[in-house]
């Protein structure tokens, strides 16, 4: 009943004949050999009855393929989706650019002897926390690399501590906002400026040290430890016991001499560090 409503009347006989033919072919009915090399189905209607349905002339036969030869039927081609090609290409390009950017802004830094280091109150008055050796560390030991996100110097001054509206306002000539200036002032206590002009920054957008580590894509996931941000400069009468080496955008930290268990680590902050607050 459903097919009668969906299909025109003149197609129903053809549909019935097609269904009957497919069923008979699947069960391999008995056949009669025909001189033309095909097999006439034994159950096929007589040619004289075919013209009544308008399907064949009296001289035509219903034949199945000869034995031993199977012809593969062509499947209908799927509808063309060519109109989606620009969309797919654009999405692929955007994903590639996004992956390249994510890789470019990944944080640097690694602690190779984390078990041998400990953070606690510094021996220097007013210095806050410091980094200590939990066990003996031989001279020339590579402790790791300084942790943080790598910025170009100009980008750090433009974007550090700023919100998007503030960045847009500065493009029109506005002065930097007080929160931005405060964030950069706090961050300068922990950032390391390399000789090539890049800045390694282990702080958040408010200038506070990321105690849980510098994360890459999502906050709190895969954070790089910031232990080396706790190394202080030595006070009067004291000397450094760790040294640095710049390699590309990395700052490698080595033990300058043998460091005894319980000894605090001291480092030279370099020529770019602002020491104007010392002694205040």
């Amino acid at each position: 009943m459903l097919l009668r409503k969906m299909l025109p009347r003149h197609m129903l006989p053809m549909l019935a004949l097609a269904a009957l033919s497919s069923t008979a072919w699947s069960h391999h009915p008995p056949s009669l050999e025909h001189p033309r090399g095909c097999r006439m189905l034994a159950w096929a209607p007589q040619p004289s009855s075919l013209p009544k349905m308008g399907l064949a002339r009296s001289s035509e036969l219903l034949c199945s393929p000869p034995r031993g030869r199977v012809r593969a039927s062509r499947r209908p081609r799927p509808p063309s989706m060519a109109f989606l090609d620009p969309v797919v290409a654009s999405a692929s390009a955007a994903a590639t650019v996004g992956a390249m950017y994510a890789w470019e802004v990944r944080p640097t830094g690694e602690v190779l002897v984390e078990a041998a280091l400990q953070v606690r109150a510094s021996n220097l008055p007013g210095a806050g926390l410091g980094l200590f050796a939990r066990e003996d560390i031989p001279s020339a030991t590579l402790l790791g690399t300084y942790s943080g996100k790598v910025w170009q110097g100009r980008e750090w001054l433009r974007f550090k501590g700023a919100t998007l509206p503030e960045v847009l306002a500065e493009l029109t000539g506005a002065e930097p906002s007080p929160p931005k200036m405060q964030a950069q002032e706090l961050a300068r206590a922990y950032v390391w400026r390399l000789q090539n002009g890049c800045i390694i920054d282990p702080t958040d957008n408010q200038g506070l040290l990321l105690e849980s580590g510098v994360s890459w894509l999502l906050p709190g996931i895969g954070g790089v430890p910031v232990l080396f941000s706790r190394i202080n400069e030595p006070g009067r009468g004291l000397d450094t016991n760790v040294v640095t080496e710049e390699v590309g955008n990395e700052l490698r930290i080595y033990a300058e001499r043998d460091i005894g268990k319980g000894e605090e680590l001291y480092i030279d902050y370099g020529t770019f560090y602002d020491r104007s607050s010392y002694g205040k």
Side-chain angles (χ1 to χ4, degrees):
M1 297 295 295
L2 181 61
L3 287 176
R4 290 182 180 178
K5 295 181 180 180
M6 296 177 59
L7 297 177
R9 291 183 178 181
H10 69 274
M11 294 186 63
L12 293 177
M14 300 176 63
L15 181 63
L17 183 60
L20 181 62
S21 177
S22 61
T23 304
W25 276 59
S26 62
H27 291 82
H28 303 286
S31 60
L32 301 175
E33 296 296 336
H34 192 270
R36 292 193 304 182
C38 64
R39 294 179 295 133
M40 186 172 66
L41 301 180
W43 47 262
Q46 295 300 320
S48 58
S49 64
L50 293 178
K52 295 181 181 179
M53 295 185 290
L55 300 179
R57 297 189 302 272
S58 58
S59 59
E60 293 178 344
L61 296 174
L62 275 177
C63 296
S64 63
R67 294 181 183 270
R69 286 194 298 172
V70 178
R71 296 180 181 179
S73 60
R74 288 188 177 182
R75 295 184 179 178
R77 293 184 178 180
S80 176
M81 306 291 284
F83 68 95
L84 290 178
D85 289 348
V87 178
V88 174
S90 300
S92 177
T96 302
V97 172
M100 293 175 63
Y101 175 78
W103 180 257
E104 187 68 22
V105 299
R106 72 193 188 282
T108 185
E110 183 181 15
V111 180
L112 300 178
V113 291
E114 188 170 0
L117 302 174
Q118 181 183 24
V119 176
R120 64 172 189 261
S122 174
N123 294 329
L124 300 176
L129 298 176
L131 188 62
F132 293 79
R134 185 177 291 177
E135 57 188 47
D136 294 338
I137 301 176
S139 176
T141 298
L142 176 61
L143 306 180
T145 57
Y146 200 77
S147 304
K149 292 185 177 180
V150 180
W151 296 69
Q152 295 291 331
R154 292 182 180 180
E155 293 180 355
W156 190 88
L157 292 173
R158 178 180 300 175
F159 298 111
K160 181 65 179 182
T163 61
L164 180 58
E166 292 172 348
V167 172
L168 297 177
E170 289 183 22
L171 292 177
T172 61
E175 294 293 328
S177 65
K180 173 183 175 180
M181 301 299 294
Q182 182 182 8
Q184 292 189 3
E185 185 66 25
L186 293 173
R188 284 190 175 93
Y190 301 104
V191 302
W192 194 287
R193 183 177 176 183
L194 301 172
Q195 296 290 338
N196 61 11
C198 292
I199 292 177
I200 304 178
D201 186 355
T203 68
D204 60 14
N205 205 44
Q206 286 72 46
L208 303 177
L209 184 65
L210 293 165
E211 301 283 357
S212 60
V214 183
S215 58
W216 184 2
L217 300 178
L218 298 176
I221 299 179
V224 179
V226 294
L227 291 179
F228 299 128
S229 300
R230 293 301 185 184
I231 303 180
N232 294 308
E233 274 200 318
R236 292 182 179 180
L238 300 176
D239 197 5
T240 60
N241 49 17
V242 297
V243 293
T244 61
E245 178 190 15
E246 295 185 15
V247 180
N249 290 338
E250 285 188 348
L251 182 74
R252 298 179 181 179
I253 301 175
Y254 296 87
E256 186 178 19
R257 57 172 174 78
D258 291 340
I259 302 175
K261 179 180 179 180
E263 189 176 351
E264 185 172 0
L265 276 60
Y266 296 119
I267 195 174
D268 185 349
Y269 284 163
T271 58
F272 297 108
Y273 187 74
D274 182 11
R275 297 173 176 83
S276 60
S277 61
Y278 278 20
K280 294 183 180 181

